[in-house]
Amino acid sequence: MFNNIWFQIVVFPGLIFLLVWTFFVFYFARKVLARIHKRVGPHFNGPAGSLQTVFDIFKLLTKESITPKNVDPYLFNIIPLVTPIIASLPVILIPWTPWMDNGVVLNTEYGVLGLVVLIGVEPFLLFLTGFGSNNKYSFLGGMRILAQMLSMETPFFLAALSPAILFGTMNLHDIMYANSWLSTAILLPGAIIFIIAMLGILEQPPFNIPDAEQEIVYGFYTEYSGTNYLLLKFAEFTEILIVSAAVITLFFSGYRGLFFDSFWCLFLKISILAAIMVAIRAANPRLRLDQMLKFAWSWLVPLSVLNIVWILFAKLYILGA
């Protein structure tokens, strides 16, 4: 069943799985933020506050999707359809469960490269949402996305390469099974760099500079409403799943557990990472664009290069490879 192509497209790790994940991460993020910020709705609307998320989703679905007069109508309406599809493509590269052949839909020797490339396409599409909106705030948000992407993708890519260099393969399944407690410790600096760069790639706080409400209204989202806005948020949450699963697969042994291998081991690790991301979101103010650029180029890029040097040293003198 898990190896049937239609099951993979429609159920797992396809559309239904991504929709359930979107609902879960929306609910999970609101619950954690509600506990930190003492918000009322996510605690009391329905069992464990679950209906608050349902209300929010149906509110967006029932709102009118407005196409402003001066926008590029084709670009404005096509990008929200294309973005979730592109955001969903990397699911075929990630090992999700041992019940599938090699745990992955597409087992390739270029898994790390494909993952980084597909994740890197998403910011360009979000830039086009701002460009097609013909709105100065949306355009500024789009330009900020490009600046942030160019700054964060260098350390992101170099950090993603560190397990590939250490284990001598770009196959995600092989990297996951080659990992051990010792290699996890060796890869830990790269994992930290990857997670920080990941927050920048995903435009998550404190790097939510492209959609800064207090500065540029809502950035590239400004002109979007209703279903189009919901599709863009679906793409955002899908990308959070993909990049979080990539962190766990590359640096923390994926779906492998202490006593057994299962999708639930992967899910637990992703949930812990998601809790850390939401805690960072709740506790830290947004950086300015110049602060982000200085941090990325003055600190993150040099550290990612030093991490590659450390990985080469560890491979030769600690693992003896």
Side-chain angles (χ1 to χ4, degrees), residues 196-232:
I196 295 172
M198 174 188 80
L199 294 175
I201 294 282
L202 297 175
E203 296 104 38
Q204 294 298 305
F207 302 112
N208 57 330
I209 301 163
D211 59 3
E213 298 98 326
Q214 295 91 340
E215 301 166 28
I216 49 174
V217 185
Y218 201 14
F220 56 94
Y221 287 123
T222 298
E223 299 290 359
Y224 283 93
S225 60
T227 306
N228 281 344
Y229 174 75
L230 186 62
L231 287 170
L232 289 173

Side-chain angles (χ1 to χ4, degrees), residues 80-124:
L81 297 175
V82 174
T83 304
I85 296 172
I86 300 299
S88 303
L89 285 178
V91 300
I92 66 175
L93 298 171
I94 293 173
W96 294 102
T97 171
W99 302 329
M100 297 166 60
D101 286 339
N102 295 313
V104 63
V105 176
L106 179 62
N107 192 27
T108 172
E109 293 302 316
Y110 304 100
V112 175
L113 185 61
L115 200 63
V116 171
V117 169
L118 288 173
I119 290 170
V121 170
E122 193 74 8
F124 282 107

Side-chain angles (χ1 to χ4, degrees), residues 24-296:
F24 166 76
V25 75
F26 198 16
Y27 168 75
F28 181 80
R30 291 178 74 90
K31 287 292 288 186
V32 175
L33 285 172
R35 185 162 295 278
I36 296 173
H37 290 166
K38 298 189 182 300
R39 298 181 182 182
V40 175
H43 277 305
F44 298 106
N45 282 336
S50 58
L51 287 182
Q52 182 67 44
T53 303
V54 176
F55 296 156
D56 288 337
I57 291 174
F58 275 95
K59 177 185 71 175
L60 290 173
L61 285 173
T62 54
K63 277 188 173 181
E64 182 182 2
S65 291
I66 299 171
T67 302
K69 184 184 298 184
N70 295 322
V71 303
D72 182 327
Y74 300 107
L75 196 60
F76 185 84
N77 290 297
I78 288 174
I79 291 299
L81 297 175
V82 174
T83 304
I85 296 172
I86 300 299
S88 303
L89 285 178
V91 300
I92 66 175
L93 298 171
I94 293 173
W96 294 102
T97 171
W99 302 329
M100 297 166 60
D101 286 339
N102 295 313
V104 63
V105 176
L106 179 62
N107 192 27
T108 172
E109 293 302 316
Y110 304 100
V112 175
L113 185 61
L115 200 63
V116 171
V117 169
L118 288 173
I119 290 170
V121 170
E122 193 74 8
F124 282 107
L125 295 175
L126 296 179
F127 162 74
L128 290 176
T129 64
F131 181 78
S133 295
N134 196 25
N135 175 297
K136 63 180 179 180
Y137 300 113
S138 301
F139 183 72
L140 284 172
M143 292 303 295
R144 287 183 174 192
I145 288 175
L146 290 184
Q148 189 158 308
M149 182 201 68
L150 292 172
S151 302
M152 289 296 182
E153 281 218 331
T154 302
F156 181 80
F157 181 68
L158 289 175
L161 278 181
S162 54
I165 294 171
L166 188 67
F167 301 124
T169 178
M170 285 195 177
N171 186 295
L172 291 170
H173 182 266
D174 293 346
I175 287 174
M176 181 182 68
Y177 271 94
N179 214 337
S180 64
W181 288 107
L182 177 59
S183 59
T184 297
I186 292 170
L187 290 169
L188 190 58
I192 294 171
I193 294 170
F194 190 93
I195 291 170
I196 295 172
M198 174 188 80
L199 294 175
I201 294 282
L202 297 175
E203 296 104 38
Q204 294 298 305
F207 302 112
N208 57 330
I209 301 163
D211 59 3
E213 298 98 326
Q214 295 91 340
E215 301 166 28
I216 49 174
V217 185
Y218 201 14
F220 56 94
Y221 287 123
T222 298
E223 299 290 359
Y224 283 93
S225 60
T227 306
N228 281 344
Y229 174 75
L230 186 62
L231 287 170
L232 289 173
K233 295 305 287 186
F234 171 68
E236 178 186 330
F237 289 131
T238 298
E239 196 171 21
I240 289 173
L241 168 65
I242 300 300
V243 182
S244 300
V247 174
I248 304 304
T249 302
L250 288 169
F251 299 99
F252 301 106
S253 301
Y255 59 66
R256 293 173 58 207
L258 291 176
F259 305 107
F260 59 90
D261 297 345
S262 170
F263 164 76
W264 297 109
C265 296
L266 176 65
F267 182 77
L268 177 62
K269 294 174 185 178
I270 291 175
S271 299
I272 294 170
L273 181 60
I276 293 171
M277 288 172 61
V278 175
I280 292 172
R281 178 191 186 112
N284 289 277
R286 182 192 309 115
L287 295 178
R288 297 194 313 266
L289 183 61
D290 63 302
Q291 291 174 325
M292 182 277 297
L293 292 171
K294 184 176 181 180
F295 172 71

